Amino acid sequence: MALLNFKRKTDETTTTSPEMQAFLQGYSIEVMPRTASKVEDFRALLPQGTRVYIAHIEGTPIEDMVATAKRIADEGYDVMPHFPARIIKDAATLENWIAMYQGEADVKQGLMLAGGVAQPHGDFTDSMQLLETGLFDKAGFTRLHVAGHPEGNKDIDPTGGTANVDAALQWKQDFSNRSDAQMALATQFAFEAGPIIDWANGVKSAGIDIPIHIGIAGPAKLQTLIKFAIACGVGPSLKVLQKRAMDVSKLLLPYEPTDVLTELSAHKAANPDFNIESVHFFPLGGIKTNANWAIENGGASAQPANAN
């Protein structure tokens, strides 16, 4: 089974199938204020109505986050900023952030996550505590996404296994049952379709009916991919990348997510009730590069708002 897709630019082909088009319909993508500022016009890259997550990295001023949200919303996109629990001092700070986002960009969607910070800045340590404040429901948020971990998470389960991750998923399921907001599991990126399918099926078997938005790394150099995978705590998939990196000829070739998405889209087509409902791209090789890959491989479902 092919795990990754490494192609020389001279050998590139456009892979557009009905299954891939359907699977990429309504995909989302992640940006940061720094990377978003390099994009002249998102309408030339992304389909109309694309959900754009805005990653909040420690040290990024909330003013920069809000300005980015406003700019992207003004171009016609659904903005979903990150709310990293460990960098939010207290409930008053959280309420202020929500008010700023709504006042400037009419934000009604958010991704809740613990955040990649070892030492919390204040009262919060995990996404569940953010949700428990009730501030998002009070503000009328229509979508609340939470993190999913197809390969586990050592920050949550430091001794291995998935006991804490599984318990958190059950809590999030219970919360979804009492919240008016739609919810989804936005996952860390992974590279093998088989284990992703097994994990998603396991989530469903555990009684979790929150839809999954599967994280996929966009086209990037292998060195870049390995750097981000290490920083983000990617599990077994990292070993696949490291093995590839030992071959110098492959180290220089670009990675593309064609194979993993081809397998996932085929599985979804054969199993319509499969609980992965959307693709969420991490544009590790650049927003434009990722959007162009989607345009070339997603057919009508990935055409930008301004196609001219």
Side-chain angles (χ1 to χ4, degrees), residues 4-269:
L4 300 177
N5 193 39
F6 293 90
K7 295 182 179 179
R8 297 183 187 278
K9 286 295 180 183
T10 54
D11 296 334
E12 280 189 351
T13 59
T14 299
T15 306
T16 303
S17 67
E19 295 82 6
M20 182 74 86
Q21 288 189 51
F23 200 57
L24 289 182
Q25 182 71 44
Y27 78 81
S28 58
I29 196 166
E30 186 161 302
V31 305
M32 296 179 288
R34 174 179 55 81
T35 57
S37 68
K38 298 177 182 178
V39 177
E40 184 175 344
D41 188 348
F42 279 93
R43 291 166 293 194
L45 297 175
L46 304 180
Q48 184 175 0
T50 299
R51 179 174 297 112
V52 180
Y53 291 61
I54 306 177
H56 196 153
I57 308 301
E58 183 181 20
T60 304
I62 184 61
E63 292 79 9
D64 290 357
M65 292 290 297
V66 171
T68 302
K70 175 175 171 50
R71 176 262 169 114
I72 295 174
D74 285 347
E75 291 183 8
Y77 295 98
D78 292 332
V79 177
M80 178 173 275
H82 287 195
F83 288 89
R86 294 176 188 170
I87 70 170
I88 300 173
K89 183 179 178 182
D90 50 30
T93 300
L94 175 59
E95 189 167 24
N96 183 54
W97 285 17
I98 292 172
M100 292 175 68
Y101 277 124
Q102 293 198 320
E104 294 292 327
D106 195 28
V107 169
K108 293 181 180 177
Q109 307 183 37
L111 171 64
M112 312 296 120
L113 68 170
V117 179
Q119 191 65 35
H121 292 192
D123 296 341
F124 303 119
T125 60
D126 59 55
S127 61
M128 294 174 286
Q129 292 171 329
L130 296 180
L131 293 172
E132 282 180 325
T133 65
L135 292 171
F136 295 99
D137 283 329
K138 178 182 176 183
F141 270 54
T142 57
R143 271 196 169 272
L144 297 171
H145 289 189
V146 290
H149 305 281
E151 298 182 327
N153 185 295
K154 289 189 176 180
D155 285 340
I156 302 173
D157 287 286
T159 60
T162 62
N164 293 335
V165 167
D166 294 343
L169 270 181
Q170 289 291 346
W171 188 97
K172 292 166 184 176
Q173 176 65 45
D174 292 341
F175 180 85
S176 75
N177 294 338
R178 63 180 189 269
S179 174
D180 292 332
Q182 291 182 283
M183 294 187 69
L185 297 176
T187 81
Q188 183 55 272
F189 55 88
F191 303 99
E192 298 179 70
I196 289 173
I197 292 169
D198 290 343
W199 173 78
N201 288 337
V203 167
K204 189 172 185 177
S205 297
I208 309 298
D209 63 11
I210 303 174
I212 296 169
H213 292 196
I214 192 67
I216 296 293
K221 295 178 180 178
L222 183 56
Q223 308 98 305
T224 301
L225 207 60
I226 291 173
K227 180 184 73 173
F228 278 104
I230 292 172
C232 296
V234 172
S237 297
L238 179 58
K239 295 180 181 179
V240 175
L241 299 182
Q242 290 171 328
K243 183 177 179 180
R244 293 275 183 171
M246 294 177 69
D247 185 333
V248 176
S249 64
K250 291 180 179 178
L251 181 64
L252 301 177
L253 300 181
Y255 158 81
E256 295 179 353
T258 310
D259 287 352
V260 64
L261 285 176
T262 296
E263 291 183 44
L264 288 174
S265 63
H267 184 80
K268 178 71 173 182

